[in-house]
Amino acid sequence: MNPTSTSGTPVAEIVDMIKRLGKLESLDPSVDFYEAGFSSINALQLLTELEDRFKVTLADDDFIAARTAVALRDLIDAQRR
């Protein structure tokens, strides 16, 4: 999906979570956030916040494979269907 397309989950909100938890100044929604400086130490907190905020349960393997904000948005949207 296009990072600017409309969907049920706002990708900008996911980007903001990643930036806040990873203490990143900026992040393109389609860039691998681990390569942008996000630490795997923050991954559990991100997973918990995403599940709480969007009322979904994300499988660990799916969460680990979703390495961009766009991929996380698509994963969350798929869980909500």
Side-chain angles (χ1 to χ4, degrees):
M1 289 182 92
N2 182 331
T4 59
S5 70
T6 58
S7 73
T9 305
V11 74
E13 191 170 346
I14 297 169
V15 168
D16 288 343
M17 284 181 181
I18 295 167
K19 285 173 29 182
R20 179 177 46 79
L21 292 171
K23 296 179 176 55
L24 304 175
E25 288 187 30
S26 64
L27 179 69
D28 182 296
S30 58
V31 168
D32 183 322
F33 48 86
Y34 291 102
E35 289 181 11
F38 189 81
S39 170
S40 60
I41 293 170
N42 301 113
L44 182 57
Q45 189 173 6
L46 176 61
L47 174 60
T48 302
E49 285 194 25
L50 289 169
E51 289 181 332
D52 288 348
R53 166 63 185 93
F54 297 110
K55 308 294 185 235
V56 294
T57 300
L58 304 175
D60 291 343
D61 290 344
D62 293 337
F63 173 74
I64 291 167
R67 298 179 60 96
T68 69
V70 171
L72 286 172
R73 187 262 326 265
D74 292 347
L75 179 61
I76 291 166
D77 285 350
Q79 289 294 315
R80 293 171 126 183
R81 285 187 219 128

Coordinates of all heavy atoms in Angstrom, one line a residue:
M1 N 0.8 -1.2 0.0 CA 0.0 0.0 0.0 C 0.9 1.2 0.0 O 2.0 1.3 0.5 CB -0.9 0.0 1.2 CG -2.0 -1.0 1.2 SD -3.1 -0.9 2.7 CE -4.3 0.2 2.0
N2 N 0.3 2.3 -0.5 CA 1.0 3.6 -0.6 C 1.0 4.2 0.8 O 0.0 4.2 1.5 CB 0.3 4.4 -1.6 CG 0.9 5.8 -1.7 OD1 1.5 6.3 -0.8 ND2 0.7 6.3 -2.9
P3 N 2.2 4.7 1.3 CA 2.2 5.3 2.7 C 1.3 6.5 2.9 O 0.9 6.8 4.0 CB 3.7 5.7 2.9 CG 4.3 5.6 1.6 CD 3.5 4.8 0.7
T4 N 0.9 7.1 1.8 CA 0.0 8.3 1.9 C -1.5 7.9 1.6 O -2.3 8.8 1.7 CB 0.4 9.4 0.9 OG1 0.4 8.9 -0.4 CG2 1.8 9.9 1.2
S5 N -1.7 6.7 1.3 CA -3.1 6.3 1.1 C -3.9 6.3 2.4 O -3.4 6.2 3.5 CB -3.2 4.9 0.4 OG -2.8 3.9 1.4
T6 N -5.2 6.4 2.2 CA -6.1 6.4 3.4 C -6.4 4.9 3.7 O -6.7 4.1 2.9 CB -7.4 7.1 3.1 OG1 -8.1 6.6 2.0 CG2 -7.1 8.6 2.9
S7 N -6.4 4.6 5.0 CA -6.7 3.3 5.5 C -7.3 3.5 6.9 O -7.4 4.6 7.4 CB -5.5 2.4 5.5 OG -4.7 2.8 6.6
G8 N -7.7 2.4 7.5 CA -8.3 2.5 8.8 C -7.3 3.0 9.9 O -7.7 3.7 10.9
T9 N -6.0 2.7 9.7 CA -5.0 3.1 10.7 C -4.1 4.2 10.2 O -3.5 4.0 9.1 CB -4.2 1.8 11.1 OG1 -5.0 0.8 11.5 CG2 -3.2 2.1 12.2
P10 N -4.0 5.3 10.9 CA -3.2 6.4 10.5 C -1.7 6.1 10.6 O -1.2 5.9 11.7 CB -3.6 7.6 11.3 CG -4.2 7.0 12.5 CD -4.7 5.6 12.1
V11 N -1.0 6.0 9.5 CA 0.4 5.7 9.5 C 1.2 6.7 10.3 O 2.2 6.4 10.9 CB 1.0 5.4 8.1 CG1 1.1 6.7 7.3 CG2 2.3 4.6 8.1
A12 N 0.8 8.0 10.3 CA 1.5 9.0 11.0 C 1.5 8.8 12.5 O 2.5 9.1 13.2 CB 0.9 10.4 10.7
E13 N 0.5 8.2 13.0 CA 0.4 7.9 14.4 C 1.4 6.8 14.8 O 2.1 6.8 15.8 CB -1.0 7.4 14.8 CG -1.2 7.3 16.3 CD -2.6 7.1 16.7 OE1 -3.5 7.3 15.8 OE2 -2.9 6.8 17.8
I14 N 1.6 5.8 13.9 CA 2.6 4.7 14.1 C 4.0 5.3 14.0 O 4.9 5.0 14.8 CB 2.4 3.6 13.1 CG1 1.0 3.0 13.3 CG2 3.5 2.6 13.2 CD1 0.6 2.0 12.2
V15 N 4.2 6.2 13.0 CA 5.5 6.9 12.9 C 5.9 7.6 14.2 O 7.0 7.5 14.7 CB 5.6 7.8 11.7 CG1 6.8 8.7 11.7 CG2 5.5 7.0 10.4
D16 N 4.9 8.3 14.7 CA 5.1 9.1 16.0 C 5.5 8.2 17.1 O 6.3 8.5 17.9 CB 3.9 9.9 16.3 CG 3.7 11.1 15.4 OD1 4.6 11.5 14.7 OD2 2.5 11.7 15.4
M17 N 4.8 7.0 17.2 CA 5.2 6.1 18.3 C 6.6 5.6 18.1 O 7.3 5.5 19.1 CB 4.2 4.8 18.2 CG 2.9 5.0 18.7 SD 2.0 3.5 18.6 CE 0.4 3.9 19.2
I18 N 7.0 5.2 16.9 CA 8.3 4.7 16.7 C 9.3 5.8 17.0 O 10.4 5.5 17.6 CB 8.5 4.2 15.2 CG1 7.5 3.0 15.0 CG2 9.9 3.9 14.9 CD1 7.4 2.7 13.5
K19 N 9.1 7.0 16.5 CA 10.0 8.1 16.8 C 10.2 8.4 18.3 O 11.3 8.6 18.8 CB 9.6 9.4 16.1 CG 9.8 9.3 14.6 CD 9.2 10.5 13.8 CE 9.1 11.8 14.5 NZ 8.4 12.8 13.7
R20 N 9.0 8.4 19.0 CA 9.1 8.7 20.4 C 9.8 7.6 21.2 O 10.7 7.9 22.0 CB 7.7 8.8 21.0 CG 7.6 9.1 22.5 CD 6.2 9.3 23.0 NE 5.2 8.3 22.5 CZ 5.0 7.1 22.9 NH1 5.8 6.6 23.9 NH2 4.1 6.3 22.4
L21 N 9.5 6.3 20.9 CA 10.1 5.2 21.7 C 11.6 5.1 21.3 O 12.4 4.7 22.2 CB 9.4 3.9 21.4 CG 7.9 3.8 21.9 CD1 7.2 2.6 21.4 CD2 8.0 3.8 23.5
G22 N 11.9 5.3 20.0 CA 13.3 5.1 19.6 C 14.1 6.4 19.7 O 15.3 6.4 19.3
K23 N 13.5 7.5 20.1 CA 14.2 8.8 20.2 C 14.8 9.2 18.9 O 15.9 9.6 18.8 CB 15.2 8.8 21.3 CG 14.6 8.6 22.7 CD 15.6 8.6 23.8 CE 15.1 8.5 25.2 NZ 14.2 7.4 25.5
L24 N 14.0 9.0 17.8 CA 14.4 9.3 16.5 C 13.8 10.7 16.1 O 12.7 11.0 16.4 CB 13.9 8.3 15.4 CG 14.2 6.8 15.7 CD1 13.5 5.9 14.7 CD2 15.7 6.7 15.6
E25 N 14.6 11.5 15.4 CA 14.2 12.8 15.0 C 13.2 12.8 13.9 O 12.2 13.6 13.8 CB 15.3 13.7 14.7 CG 16.1 14.1 15.9 CD 17.2 15.1 15.6 OE1 17.0 15.9 14.6 OE2 18.2 15.1 16.2
S26 N 13.4 11.9 12.9 CA 12.5 11.8 11.8 C 12.5 10.3 11.3 O 13.4 9.6 11.6 CB 13.0 12.7 10.7 OG 14.2 12.3 10.2
L27 N 11.4 10.0 10.6 CA 11.3 8.7 10.0 C 10.4 8.7 8.8 O 9.2 9.1 9.0 CB 10.8 7.7 11.1 CG 10.6 6.3 10.6 CD1 12.0 5.6 10.4 CD2 9.8 5.5 11.7
D28 N 10.8 8.2 7.7 CA 10.0 8.0 6.5 C 9.2 6.8 6.8 O 9.7 5.8 7.2 CB 10.9 7.9 5.3 CG 10.0 7.7 4.0 OD1 9.3 6.7 3.9 OD2 10.1 8.6 3.2
P29 N 7.8 6.8 6.6 CA 7.0 5.7 6.9 C 7.4 4.4 6.1 O 7.0 3.3 6.6 CB 5.6 6.1 6.4 CG 5.7 7.6 6.3 CD 7.1 7.9 6.1
S30 N 8.1 4.5 5.0 CA 8.4 3.3 4.2 C 9.9 2.9 4.4 O 10.3 2.0 3.7 CB 8.1 3.5 2.8 OG 8.8 4.6 2.3
V31 N 10.6 3.5 5.4 CA 12.0 3.1 5.7 C 12.0 2.1 6.9 O 11.2 2.3 7.8 CB 12.8 4.4 6.0 CG1 14.1 4.0 6.6 CG2 12.9 5.2 4.8
D32 N 12.9 1.1 6.8 CA 13.1 0.2 7.9 C 13.5 1.0 9.1 O 14.6 1.6 9.2 CB 14.1 -0.8 7.5 CG 14.4 -1.9 8.5 OD1 14.3 -1.6 9.7 OD2 14.6 -3.0 8.1
F33 N 12.6 1.0 10.2 CA 12.9 1.8 11.3 C 14.1 1.3 12.1 O 14.7 2.0 12.8 CB 11.7 2.0 12.2 CG 10.9 0.8 12.6 CD1 11.2 0.1 13.6 CD2 9.7 0.5 11.8 CE1 10.4 -1.0 14.0 CE2 8.9 -0.5 12.1 CZ 9.2 -1.3 13.2
Y34 N 14.4 0.0 12.0 CA 15.6 -0.5 12.7 C 16.9 0.1 12.1 O 17.8 0.4 12.7 CB 15.6 -2.0 12.7 CG 14.6 -2.6 13.6 CD1 13.4 -3.1 13.1 CD2 14.7 -2.6 15.0 CE1 12.4 -3.7 13.9 CE2 13.7 -3.2 15.8 CZ 12.6 -3.7 15.2 OH 11.6 -4.2 16.0
E35 N 16.9 0.1 10.7 CA 18.0 0.7 10.0 C 18.1 2.2 10.3 O 19.2 2.8 10.2 CB 17.9 0.4 8.5 CG 18.2 -1.0 8.2 CD 18.1 -1.3 6.7 OE1 18.0 -0.4 5.9 OE2 18.1 -2.5 6.4
A36 N 17.0 2.9 10.6 CA 17.0 4.3 10.9 C 17.4 4.6 12.3 O 17.5 5.8 12.7 CB 15.6 4.9 10.7
G37 N 17.7 3.5 13.1 CA 18.2 3.7 14.5 C 17.3 3.3 15.6 O 17.6 3.4 16.8
F38 N 16.1 2.7 15.3 CA 15.3 2.1 16.3 C 15.9 0.9 16.9 O 16.4 0.0 16.2 CB 13.9 1.8 15.7 CG 12.8 1.4 16.7 CD1 12.2 2.4 17.4 CD2 12.5 0.1 17.0 CE1 11.2 2.1 18.3 CE2 11.5 -0.2 17.9 CZ 10.9 0.7 18.5
S39 N 15.9 0.8 18.2 CA 16.5 -0.3 18.9 C 15.6 -1.5 19.1 O 14.4 -1.3 19.4 CB 17.0 0.2 20.3 OG 17.5 -0.9 21.1
S40 N 16.0 -2.7 19.0 CA 15.2 -3.8 19.2 C 14.8 -3.9 20.7 O 13.8 -4.5 21.0 CB 15.9 -5.1 18.8 OG 17.1 -5.3 19.6
I41 N 15.5 -3.2 21.6 CA 15.1 -3.1 23.0 C 13.7 -2.5 23.1 O 12.9 -2.8 24.0 CB 16.2 -2.4 23.8 CG1 17.5 -3.2 23.8 CG2 15.7 -2.0 25.2 CD1 18.6 -2.4 24.4
N42 N 13.4 -1.5 22.2 CA 12.1 -0.8 22.3 C 11.0 -1.6 21.6 O 9.8 -1.2 21.7 CB 12.2 0.5 21.6 CG 13.3 1.4 22.3 OD1 14.3 1.7 21.7 ND2 13.0 1.8 23.5
A43 N 11.3 -2.7 21.0 CA 10.3 -3.4 20.2 C 9.1 -3.9 21.0 O 8.0 -3.8 20.6 CB 10.9 -4.6 19.4
L44 N 9.4 -4.5 22.2 CA 8.3 -5.0 23.0 C 7.4 -3.9 23.5 O 6.2 -4.0 23.5 CB 8.9 -5.7 24.3 CG 7.9 -6.3 25.2 CD1 7.0 -7.3 24.5 CD2 8.6 -7.0 26.4
Q45 N 8.0 -2.7 23.8 CA 7.1 -1.6 24.2 C 6.3 -1.1 23.0 O 5.1 -0.8 23.2 CB 8.0 -0.5 24.7 CG 7.2 0.7 25.3 CD 8.0 1.7 26.0 OE1 9.3 1.7 26.0 NE2 7.4 2.6 26.7
L46 N 6.9 -1.1 21.8 CA 6.1 -0.7 20.6 C 5.0 -1.7 20.4 O 3.9 -1.3 20.1 CB 7.1 -0.6 19.4 CG 6.4 -0.3 18.1 CD1 5.7 1.0 18.1 CD2 7.4 -0.4 16.9
L47 N 5.3 -3.0 20.4 CA 4.3 -4.0 20.2 C 3.1 -3.8 21.2 O 1.9 -3.8 20.8 CB 4.9 -5.4 20.4 CG 3.9 -6.6 20.3 CD1 3.1 -6.6 19.0 CD2 4.6 -7.9 20.6
T48 N 3.4 -3.6 22.5 CA 2.4 -3.4 23.5 C 1.6 -2.1 23.2 O 0.3 -2.2 23.3 CB 3.1 -3.3 24.9 OG1 3.8 -4.5 25.1 CG2 2.0 -3.1 26.0
E49 N 2.2 -1.0 22.9 CA 1.5 0.2 22.6 C 0.6 0.1 21.4 O -0.5 0.6 21.4 CB 2.5 1.4 22.5 CG 3.1 1.8 23.8 CD 3.8 3.2 23.7 OE1 3.4 4.0 22.8 OE2 4.6 3.4 24.6
L50 N 1.1 -0.6 20.3 CA 0.3 -0.8 19.1 C -0.9 -1.6 19.4 O -2.0 -1.2 19.0 CB 1.1 -1.4 18.0 CG 2.2 -0.6 17.4 CD1 3.1 -1.5 16.5 CD2 1.6 0.6 16.6
E51 N -0.7 -2.7 20.2 CA -1.9 -3.5 20.5 C -2.9 -2.8 21.4 O -4.1 -2.9 21.2 CB -1.4 -4.8 21.2 CG -0.7 -5.7 20.3 CD -0.2 -7.0 20.9 OE1 0.1 -7.0 22.1 OE2 -0.1 -8.0 20.2
D52 N -2.4 -2.1 22.4 CA -3.3 -1.3 23.2 C -4.0 -0.2 22.5 O -5.3 -0.1 22.6 CB -2.5 -0.7 24.4 CG -2.1 -1.7 25.4 OD1 -2.6 -2.9 25.4 OD2 -1.3 -1.3 26.3
R53 N -3.3 0.5 21.7 CA -3.9 1.7 21.0 C -4.9 1.3 19.9 O -6.0 1.9 19.8 CB -2.8 2.5 20.4 CG -3.2 3.6 19.4 CD -4.1 4.6 20.0 NE -4.6 5.5 19.0 CZ -5.7 5.4 18.3 NH1 -6.5 4.4 18.5 NH2 -6.1 6.3 17.4
F54 N -4.6 0.2 19.2 CA -5.4 -0.1 18.0 C -6.3 -1.4 18.3 O -7.0 -1.9 17.4 CB -4.5 -0.4 16.8 CG -3.8 0.9 16.4 CD1 -2.5 1.0 16.5 CD2 -4.5 2.0 15.9 CE1 -1.8 2.2 16.2 CE2 -3.9 3.1 15.5 CZ -2.5 3.3 15.7
K55 N -6.3 -1.9 19.6 CA -7.1 -3.0 20.0 C -7.0 -4.2 19.1 O -8.0 -4.8 18.6 CB -8.6 -2.5 20.1 CG -8.8 -1.3 20.9 CD -8.5 -1.5 22.3 CE -8.9 -0.2 23.1 NZ -7.8 0.3 23.9
V56 N -5.7 -4.6 18.9 CA -5.5 -5.8 18.1 C -4.5 -6.7 18.9 O -3.8 -6.2 19.8 CB -4.9 -5.5 16.7 CG1 -5.9 -4.7 15.8 CG2 -3.6 -4.7 16.8
T57 N -4.3 -7.9 18.4 CA -3.3 -8.8 18.9 C -2.4 -9.2 17.7 O -2.9 -9.8 16.7 CB -3.9 -10.1 19.5 OG1 -4.7 -9.7 20.6 CG2 -2.8 -11.0 20.0
L58 N -1.2 -8.8 17.8 CA -0.3 -9.1 16.7 C 0.6 -10.3 17.0 O 1.3 -10.3 18.0 CB 0.6 -7.8 16.4 CG -0.2 -6.5 16.1 CD1 0.8 -5.4 16.0 CD2 -1.0 -6.7 14.9
A59 N 0.7 -11.2 16.0 CA 1.6 -12.4 16.2 C 3.0 -11.9 16.2 O 3.4 -11.0 15.4 CB 1.3 -13.4 15.1
D60 N 3.8 -12.5 17.1 CA 5.2 -12.1 17.2 C 6.0 -12.1 15.9 O 6.7 -11.2 15.5 CB 6.0 -12.9 18.2 CG 5.5 -12.7 19.6 OD1 4.9 -11.6 19.9 OD2 5.8 -13.5 20.5
D61 N 5.8 -13.2 15.1 CA 6.5 -13.4 13.8 C 6.1 -12.3 12.8 O 6.9 -11.7 12.1 CB 6.2 -14.7 13.2 CG 6.9 -15.9 14.0 OD1 7.8 -15.6 14.8 OD2 6.5 -17.0 13.8
D62 N 4.8 -12.0 12.8 CA 4.3 -10.9 11.9 C 4.8 -9.6 12.3 O 5.2 -8.8 11.5 CB 2.7 -10.9 11.9 CG 2.1 -12.1 11.3 OD1 2.8 -12.8 10.5 OD2 1.0 -12.4 11.6
F63 N 4.8 -9.3 13.6 CA 5.3 -8.0 14.1 C 6.8 -7.9 13.8 O 7.3 -6.8 13.3 CB 5.1 -7.9 15.6 CG 5.8 -6.7 16.2 CD1 5.2 -5.4 16.1 CD2 7.0 -6.8 17.0 CE1 5.9 -4.3 16.6 CE2 7.6 -5.7 17.5 CZ 7.0 -4.4 17.3
I64 N 7.6 -8.9 14.0 CA 9.0 -8.9 13.7 C 9.3 -8.6 12.2 O 10.2 -7.9 11.8 CB 9.7 -10.2 14.2 CG1 9.7 -10.2 15.7 CG2 11.1 -10.3 13.7 CD1 10.1 -11.5 16.3
A65 N 8.5 -9.2 11.4 CA 8.6 -9.1 9.9 C 8.2 -7.7 9.4 O 8.7 -7.3 8.3 CB 7.8 -10.2 9.2
A66 N 7.4 -7.0 10.1 CA 6.9 -5.7 9.7 C 7.9 -4.6 10.2 O 7.8 -4.1 11.3 CB 5.5 -5.4 10.3
R67 N 8.8 -4.3 9.3 CA 9.9 -3.4 9.7 C 9.8 -1.9 9.3 O 10.7 -1.2 9.4 CB 11.3 -4.0 9.2 CG 11.5 -5.4 9.8 CD 12.8 -6.0 9.3 NE 14.0 -5.2 9.6 CZ 14.8 -5.3 10.6 NH1 14.5 -6.3 11.5 NH2 15.8 -4.6 10.8
T68 N 8.6 -1.6 8.8 CA 8.4 -0.2 8.4 C 7.0 0.2 9.0 O 6.2 -0.7 9.4 CB 8.3 0.0 6.9 OG1 7.1 -0.6 6.4 CG2 9.5 -0.5 6.2
A69 N 6.8 1.5 9.2 CA 5.5 2.0 9.7 C 4.4 1.6 8.8 O 3.3 1.2 9.2 CB 5.5 3.5 9.9
V70 N 4.6 1.6 7.5 CA 3.6 1.2 6.5 C 3.3 -0.3 6.7 O 2.1 -0.7 6.7 CB 4.1 1.5 5.0 CG1 3.1 0.9 4.0 CG2 4.2 3.0 4.8
A71 N 4.3 -1.1 6.9 CA 4.0 -2.6 7.1 C 3.3 -2.8 8.4 O 2.4 -3.7 8.4 CB 5.4 -3.3 7.1
L72 N 3.6 -2.0 9.4 CA 2.8 -2.2 10.7 C 1.4 -1.7 10.5 O 0.5 -2.4 11.0 CB 3.5 -1.4 11.8 CG 4.8 -1.9 12.3 CD1 5.4 -0.9 13.3 CD2 4.5 -3.3 13.0
R73 N 1.2 -0.7 9.8 CA -0.2 -0.2 9.5 C -1.0 -1.3 8.7 O -2.1 -1.6 9.1 CB -0.1 1.1 8.7 CG -1.4 1.8 8.4 CD -2.1 1.6 7.0 NE -1.3 1.4 5.9 CZ -0.9 2.3 5.0 NH1 -1.2 3.6 5.2 NH2 -0.1 2.0 4.0
D74 N -0.3 -1.9 7.7 CA -1.0 -2.9 6.9 C -1.3 -4.1 7.8 O -2.4 -4.7 7.7 CB -0.2 -3.3 5.7 CG 0.0 -2.2 4.7 OD1 -0.8 -1.2 4.8 OD2 0.8 -2.3 3.8
L75 N -0.4 -4.5 8.7 CA -0.6 -5.6 9.6 C -1.8 -5.3 10.5 O -2.7 -6.2 10.7 CB 0.7 -5.9 10.4 CG 0.6 -7.0 11.4 CD1 0.4 -8.3 10.7 CD2 2.0 -7.0 12.1
I76 N -1.8 -4.2 11.1 CA -2.9 -3.8 12.0 C -4.2 -3.8 11.2 O -5.2 -4.3 11.7 CB -2.6 -2.4 12.6 CG1 -1.5 -2.5 13.6 CG2 -3.9 -1.8 13.3 CD1 -0.9 -1.2 14.0
D77 N -4.3 -3.2 10.1 CA -5.5 -3.2 9.3 C -6.0 -4.6 8.9 O -7.2 -4.8 9.0 CB -5.3 -2.3 8.0 CG -5.3 -0.8 8.2 OD1 -5.6 -0.4 9.4 OD2 -4.9 -0.1 7.3
A78 N -5.1 -5.5 8.6 CA -5.4 -6.9 8.3 C -6.0 -7.5 9.6 O -7.0 -8.3 9.4 CB -4.2 -7.6 7.8
Q79 N -5.5 -7.2 10.7 CA -6.1 -7.8 12.0 C -7.5 -7.2 12.3 O -8.3 -7.9 12.9 CB -5.1 -7.5 13.1 CG -3.8 -8.3 13.1 CD -4.1 -9.7 13.3 OE1 -4.8 -10.2 14.1 NE2 -3.5 -10.5 12.5
R80 N -7.7 -6.0 11.9 CA -9.0 -5.4 12.2 C -10.1 -5.9 11.2 O -11.3 -5.6 11.5 CB -8.9 -3.9 12.1 CG -8.0 -3.3 13.2 CD -7.7 -1.9 13.0 NE -8.0 -1.1 14.1 CZ -7.9 0.2 14.2 NH1 -7.6 0.9 13.2 NH2 -8.2 0.8 15.3
R81 N -9.8 -6.5 10.1 CA -10.8 -6.9 9.2 C -11.5 -8.2 9.6 O -11.1 -9.0 10.3 CB -10.2 -7.2 7.8 CG -9.9 -5.9 7.1 CD -9.5 -6.0 5.7 NE -8.4 -5.1 5.5 CZ -7.2 -5.3 5.0 NH1 -6.9 -6.5 4.6 NH2 -6.4 -4.3 4.9

